[in-house]
Amino acid sequence: MIRTAASVASLAVALATAGCMTATEGHGAPAEPAPTSSAAPLEPVPTSSAKPLVDTPQVQNPKDARTVATCDLLTPSQLTGLGLKPETARPTTSGTARICTWTSTVAGEAAGVTLATNLAIGALENLYVVRNTFQVFEPGEVTGHPSVRADNGNGCTLYVAIADDQLMSADGHLGGPPLPDPCARSRRMAELVLSNLPDLH
């Protein structure tokens, strides 16, 4: 059974728990019907001078996902290479987080990406604050960007700091039988997204 949007939206849940999300964002137009809410202008959030809740790695080469529709983060050829069907792109929202999911060429599987941009505090900071709520919490990096695998052991949800105030999660295996490396597709998705994003100026 496929893990539902509640799983791919775990980024939104984690961040909402700490109460840091402040900006409303839109989403792209997929092959399937989109939610009724329309895209809203993106406004930058003033940088907070408050002391960080916890120390987290800083992003050395920030990217910018603020103006990119979530379902446009990966190209059709990249999705096909990941074993996903481009025409099944489905955007949703959870709070102020934007989500896109795709079904796999393997029955019962799916994958998804979640974006939270213009955060009021550090991208990974809230995850470190609530780290004890996850069964698996493994800091690392993806192409030089700080990352954390944070999930309950089912599949692999990989959070990557796009910029100091922009966060992405990639969940490459939503349902289906366990994989030898549950993080392989999540990591590859994150690598491709980062390669597609423009530098932050």
Side-chain angles (χ1 to χ4, degrees):
M1 181 176 180
I2 294 176
R3 285 181 283 140
T4 64
S7 175
V8 76
S10 56
L11 164 62
V13 173
L15 296 181
T17 299
C20 75
M21 305 183 76
T22 60
T24 300
E25 303 188 30
H27 49 72
E32 297 183 23
T36 55
S37 60
S38 59
L42 302 180
E43 298 294 338
V45 175
T47 301
S48 173
S49 59
K51 182 179 179 180
L53 299 175
V54 292
D55 290 329
T56 57
Q58 298 299 299
V59 180
Q60 301 301 318
N61 298 296
K63 300 286 187 174
D64 193 357
R66 290 174 298 179
T67 60
V68 182
T70 315
C71 289
D72 293 338
L73 289 171
L74 294 164
T75 68
S77 62
Q78 288 171 340
L79 290 165
T80 300
L82 289 164
L84 304 174
K85 300 176 181 178
E87 68 276 11
T88 63
R90 181 176 180 84
T92 55
T93 59
S94 179
T96 55
R98 297 178 286 147
I99 305 162
C100 189
T101 56
W102 298 269
T103 60
S104 170
T105 54
V106 178
E109 290 186 8
V113 174
T114 304
L115 277 181
T117 55
N118 292 335
L119 299 177
I121 65 173
L124 292 175
E125 194 170 331
N126 279 319
L127 287 170
Y128 276 80
V129 170
V130 297
R131 63 185 301 167
N132 291 335
T133 65
F134 301 102
Q135 292 182 21
V136 179
F137 191 90
E138 298 175 352
E141 66 174 41
V142 177
T143 62
H145 286 249
S147 68
V148 171
R149 177 189 175 185
D151 54 53
N152 293 320
N154 297 320
C156 174
T157 304
L158 189 63
Y159 298 87
V160 183
I162 298 172
D164 288 338
D165 60 352
Q166 299 185 45
L167 185 63
M168 164 183 65
S169 74
D171 199 328
H173 186 63
L174 294 171
L179 298 176
D181 181 358
C183 287
R185 185 187 279 165
S186 299
R187 174 170 292 278
R188 185 58 181 152
M189 289 174 70
E191 290 171 348
L192 291 171
V193 168
L194 289 170
S195 72
N196 292 339
L197 291 175
D199 294 334
L200 179 66
H201 297 293

